[in-house]
Amino acid sequence: MTGTAAAGLLVGRLLFGLVFVFQGVNHFQNVDYMSGYAESKGIPAARLLTVVSGVMLVLGGLAVAAGAYATLGAAAIAVFLLVATPLMHDFWAVPEDQAEGEMTHFLKNLELLGAALVVLAISTVEWQYALGVGLF
């Protein structure tokens, strides 16, 4: 991949990855609020899982953005989204006045899951403008 395609992939990786880094840092900065929300959704060990998910998001986002261990990073993001989306944004189980907001978050997460799976699929090919280290 060269030229515009390589530049587009770099910009896409940076946008995708760094937003997840921001979200992961937010888990740490607002751990009380986020773990309280997770607890309200019936998540056991909500504080611990808030911190663990924050680590997954930060490391996954950095890996994708830098192009270092991108397979692991994209997989961490995909696993997070696969688990968190139906548990945290269960629009079918909330009061009607909350359903639209939860559905919006649910659908946004599905879009991001799709993008994470695309990144995972292309993570084993060489990327220009990447650190280029990884397991595969």
Side-chain angles (χ1 to χ4, degrees):
M1 188 178 309
T2 59
T4 344
L9 179 58
L10 173 62
V11 171
R13 283 184 8 240
L14 290 172
L15 291 171
F16 183 75
L18 294 178
V19 167
F20 280 105
V21 171
F22 174 80
Q23 289 177 334
V25 168
N26 191 44
H27 277 62
F28 304 129
Q29 291 177 330
N30 298 300
V31 70
D32 290 334
Y33 170 78
M34 296 194 82
S35 60
Y37 182 67
E39 206 170 77
S40 78
K41 293 290 189 166
I43 306 300
R47 188 173 189 87
L48 172 65
L49 291 176
T50 297
V51 171
V52 168
S53 63
V55 169
M56 290 174 72
L57 293 173
V58 168
L59 294 179
L62 286 173
V64 169
Y69 297 98
T71 301
L72 292 176
I77 291 169
V79 167
F80 167 78
L81 290 167
L82 192 63
V83 173
T85 299
L87 294 176
M88 301 303 293
H89 302 298
D90 54 348
F91 63 90
W92 56 89
V94 297
E96 189 175 331
D97 63 329
Q98 298 171 16
E100 185 176 347
E102 291 293 353
M103 185 189 306
T104 299
H105 289 298
F106 182 91
L107 293 173
K108 172 209 34 114
N109 279 10
L110 283 184
E111 292 170 321
L112 291 170
L113 175 58
L117 293 174
V118 168
V119 172
L120 185 59
I122 65 168
S123 67
T124 58
V125 300
E126 186 177 337
W127 296 350
Q128 283 192 340
Y129 314 118
L131 294 179
V133 294
L135 299 176
F136 308 102

